[in-house]
Amino acid sequence: RALLAHHGPGSMLATALGAPQARFEGSEAVALWQNLADLEEREGPRLSFASAHNTPAALAPVLERDPTARFVFHAPGGRLHLFPEPQAATPWVGRLAEVDFTLIGARGAGEIAPALPSMSATRALRERIREALDPGRSLALGGRWERGAP
């Protein structure tokens, strides 16, 4: 826990994290800030994901799959940069899609297709629409449409 000069002892950040273990000011603060920003530009493959999850708890699926995974998580922006071995990149995309991380960029990992979103939310929405518009379930193709068929 290191606070930059503009986060004083009474700030919300200091209250949430506790007393700082170090304090950086001036050029030290600038250097630390630049090093943190540069973490996502490591050599090698990188997968970038976006998510509405913006707390450290969102990292649980990453750490459960591989506690030694190399990644950078920008919690306020819901942005995760993962640095897998090239052969492991595709499985990561599917696993993180299951927990609402969407692939938004890939570098150095070969051809990676984005994971298809789960149809469960679409099916639930279609079921609610059908219930509202066809409570008697009498319209043609209603059941097929509700299950996702064209």
Side-chain angles (χ1 to χ4, degrees), residues 25-118:
E25 295 183 21
S27 62
E28 284 183 309
V30 171
L32 175 62
W33 196 259
Q34 187 62 52
N35 285 337
L36 291 172
D38 289 345
L39 285 175
E40 69 184 59
E41 289 304 327
R42 295 181 186 181
E43 293 288 322
R46 179 182 75 194
L47 301 177
S48 297
F49 298 89
S51 176
H53 304 294
N54 59 1
T55 68
L59 295 175
V62 175
L63 297 172
E64 287 169 5
R65 179 180 170 104
D66 182 0
T68 63
R70 296 177 305 141
F71 62 88
V72 174
F73 184 54
H74 297 282
R79 185 73 46 101
L80 173 67
H81 301 286
L82 186 68
F83 305 95
E85 295 300 322
Q87 67 276 12
T90 298
W92 272 111
V93 173
R95 171 71 174 115
L96 290 174
E98 292 171 7
V99 291
D100 301 324
F101 279 90
T102 302
L103 182 69
I104 58 171
R107 174 189 76 198
E111 185 70 28
I112 299 203
L116 295 175
S118 167

